[in-house]
Amino acid sequence: MSPQIHLFSEIDPLRLALVKRPGAEIDSLTPDYLEQLLFDDIPFLPRAQEEHDFYVKLLQDNGVEILYLDDLVAEALGTSPEVRESFVSDVLDESGTTVGGYENLVREYLLSLDDHALVETVMTGIRKKDLESHEAKGLQDMMDRRYPYYLDPLPNLYFTRDPATAIGNGVTINRMFSEVRQREPLFFKYVIEHHPRFVAENIPIWRDRNESYYNEGGDVAILSDEVLAIGVSQRTTASAIESLAKSLFYKQEGFRRIIAFEIPESRAFMHLDTVFVMIDVNQFAIHPAILDHAGEMNLYLVEKDEKAPRGLRFTATSDLHGTLKRELREESVDFIPTGGGDLAAAAREQWSDAANLLALSPGVVISLDRNVESNEELRRHGIRVLEMPGSEITRGRGGPRCMLMPLNRS
């Protein structure tokens, strides 16, 4: 049996992946709390589920085994009562001020549920009205009836790329930038540490969720079995990259360099994979706005150096083409611009994640059907484009790559 975690490439044939189908947590969105919950609009849940089901069927038809996050977490919690209790305690610790003063009430309620209902409830959130039958009213309830939750919903969870990242034969359990997403990595932690499918492999954790610096999976790309690209963005800090480099270079055989991309801190450019994605051995989809007028951007090479004071060596450059050619050992690299190079089309289709492509194998990608001009440009460059509907999914600001955590590319 092949290993559960085996990621040394962005483009090798995808064999095993983890997803989360949009659920009732989406219907917990309200206009007053959209910004807090990182949405720009409210998706129509039945249509979003249809789109996600189409996406999963497309993956399965192309040889990908799909695991569902909620099922894995429920199975992990079912391994022992102690694991369930530990999970609930961690959830309460990560729940911020909304549950303040009602921890015991919420704990009792959660532990009364079966494993699947417990996981679903933690993902969906607990509304105050759900516990109205309990005799536990306090000053918070008397003074503030406007905010409806004891436990916030997790509507971003269908973007499984971000809370954890498989790299090599190990994973990072990430510390998320936004408070509303900081509970998400717990699900991955319990799967890796307690699910029988993963426990047997003793999977190393390169960075865990208790680290001091933010890092999210959308900023990480595995260019080869030696080189990673990582975005320095609003949601991944330079210090997190340095921390990962120290762990990875000294514990995982093979990786020798990280290319850190300095990308603008913008809602439209929230992760590296919203603006730059590898789709073949020397081809990349790119949003042209990340480059300056000379076609360059700030890059920083991070390498292992046992003699350096920090155990690492750093080199600055702005030559994206030259750096990629050298690191990938290719004579040329092909940048395929979103919007076909038209600035207006690129900006419009960037809003629906035209660059956020998922490579199934070299030169074969899944893209959203609404990004018409970008998809045509991909085809002109020889890329096979498999289209999926995405009118509702994209209201959460994410595309095909965001919605999947790859586990094994063979």
Side-chain angles (χ1 to χ4, degrees):
M1 183 176 179
S2 61
Q4 302 303 300
I5 305 294
H6 184 84
L7 253 290
F8 293 87
S9 168
E10 277 295 302
I11 59 171
D12 280 350
L14 182 60
R15 299 304 185 198
L16 181 66
L18 182 61
V19 301
K20 164 66 174 75
R21 188 176 190 253
E25 66 278 358
I26 299 297
D27 277 345
S28 296
L29 291 165
T30 62
D32 288 343
Y33 303 109
L34 283 178
E35 183 176 356
Q36 175 182 329
L37 296 173
L38 305 182
F39 275 70
D40 297 306
D41 200 353
I42 300 174
F44 178 46
L45 179 58
R47 187 67 51 76
Q49 290 176 326
E50 289 176 5
E51 293 170 357
H52 195 272
D53 291 345
F54 186 101
Y55 172 65
V56 169
K57 180 67 161 52
L58 192 57
L59 289 163
Q60 292 171 330
D61 288 347
N62 283 273
V64 184
E65 180 185 356
I66 294 297
L67 305 177
Y68 282 92
L69 178 62
D70 41 358
D71 290 338
L72 291 180
V73 179
E75 291 160 5
L77 298 188
T79 57
S80 78
E82 291 77 19
V83 172
R84 281 172 55 89
E85 292 171 7
S86 175
F87 175 73
V88 170
S89 293
D90 282 343
V91 167
L92 292 174
D93 288 344
E94 285 289 357
S95 296
T97 59
T98 60
V99 77
Y102 298 89
E103 289 88 352
N104 290 336
L105 173 65
V106 172
R107 183 191 306 275
E108 179 184 348
Y109 175 65
L110 289 174
L111 290 174
S112 71
L113 304 172
D114 65 41
D115 295 331
H116 281 88
L118 168 56
V119 173
E120 182 180 359
T121 300
V122 172
M123 292 178 171
T124 303
I126 298 177
R127 302 185 190 189
K128 291 179 178 178
K129 72 178 184 64
D130 294 336
L131 302 184
E132 284 180 351
S133 62
H134 291 68
E135 302 257 338
K137 298 303 177 187
L139 187 59
Q140 177 178 312
D141 293 294
M142 296 174 64
M143 296 181 67
D144 184 7
R145 302 299 299 171
R146 292 168 297 174
Y147 192 68
Y149 296 102
Y150 286 127
L151 195 66
D152 290 332
L154 301 175
N156 298 277
L157 196 53
Y158 69 91
F159 298 126
T160 54
R161 175 73 61 162
D162 297 327
T165 311
I167 304 174
N169 292 317
V171 298
T172 61
I173 307 294
N174 299 331
R175 183 180 179 197
M176 308 294 282
F177 170 76
S178 300
E179 182 177 350
V180 70
R181 300 197 71 182
Q182 286 178 8
R183 208 159 76 233
E184 294 180 27
L186 282 174
F187 299 111
F188 297 85
K189 166 185 166 66
Y190 276 82
V191 168
I192 294 298
E193 295 184 355
H194 298 287
H195 194 285
R197 181 164 182 161
F198 295 89
V199 169
E201 296 190 3
N202 194 27
I203 295 166
I205 296 177
W206 308 129
R207 293 187 85 242
D208 67 32
R209 52 186 290 275
N210 297 316
E211 299 279 353
S212 300
Y213 309 109
Y214 304 118
N215 65 297
E216 299 191 2
D219 280 314
V220 179
I222 303 172
L223 303 185
S224 73
D225 58 2
E226 296 182 336
V227 181
L228 279 73
I230 305 182
V232 184
S233 68
Q234 180 190 54
R235 302 187 182 188
T236 295
T237 68
S239 296
I241 295 174
E242 186 173 337
S243 171
L244 174 60
K246 290 178 182 178
S247 178
L248 200 59
F249 292 166
Y250 287 90
K251 296 178 182 178
Q252 171 71 69
E253 184 177 351
F255 292 114
R256 60 180 178 81
R257 185 168 295 175
I258 291 173
I259 307 171
F261 286 60
E262 186 177 352
I263 61 177
E265 292 190 9
S266 163
R267 176 73 168 137
F269 301 172
M270 69 182 74
H271 291 126
L272 179 64
D273 71 0
T274 63
V275 292
F276 186 81
V277 171
M278 186 179 192
I279 55 179
D280 205 341
V281 292
N282 67 340
Q283 290 182 296
F284 298 82
I286 186 169
H287 180 46
I290 68 168
L291 302 177
D292 64 20
H293 65 280
E296 298 180 337
M297 67 183 303
N298 293 334
L299 305 171
Y300 305 89
L301 307 182
V302 184
E303 301 170 273
K304 179 179 178 180
D305 186 345
E306 296 180 359
K307 297 180 180 180
R310 303 168 73 91
L312 300 169
R313 182 169 68 254
F314 308 96
T315 308
T317 181
S318 59
D319 182 5
L320 181 57
H321 275 92
T323 298
L324 291 172
K325 285 192 294 184
R326 181 178 64 253
E327 296 302 326
L328 297 175
R329 300 184 178 93
E330 295 288 337
E331 293 184 0
S332 64
V333 292
D334 181 18
F335 289 173
I336 306 174
T338 57
D342 179 86
L343 293 180
R348 181 183 69 253
E349 295 192 355
Q350 168 65 17
W351 192 244
S352 52
D353 291 281
N356 192 250
L357 307 167
L358 176 69
L360 294 176
S361 59
V364 180
V365 301
I366 297 179
S367 178
L368 298 176
D369 59 3
R370 62 185 297 161
N371 295 320
V372 176
E373 296 188 47
S374 298
N375 291 344
E376 286 307 306
E377 184 70 9
L378 289 165
R379 293 184 176 106
R380 281 194 287 270
H381 285 252
I383 301 300
R384 181 185 174 205
V385 181
L386 307 178
E387 296 185 351
M388 62 166 285
S391 62
E392 299 303 311
I393 287 287
T394 56
R395 296 183 192 274
R397 300 272 70 82
R401 191 180 190 274
C402 289
M403 294 190 297
L404 177 142
M405 179 188 176
L407 300 176
N408 186 302
R409 287 183 182 270
S410 62

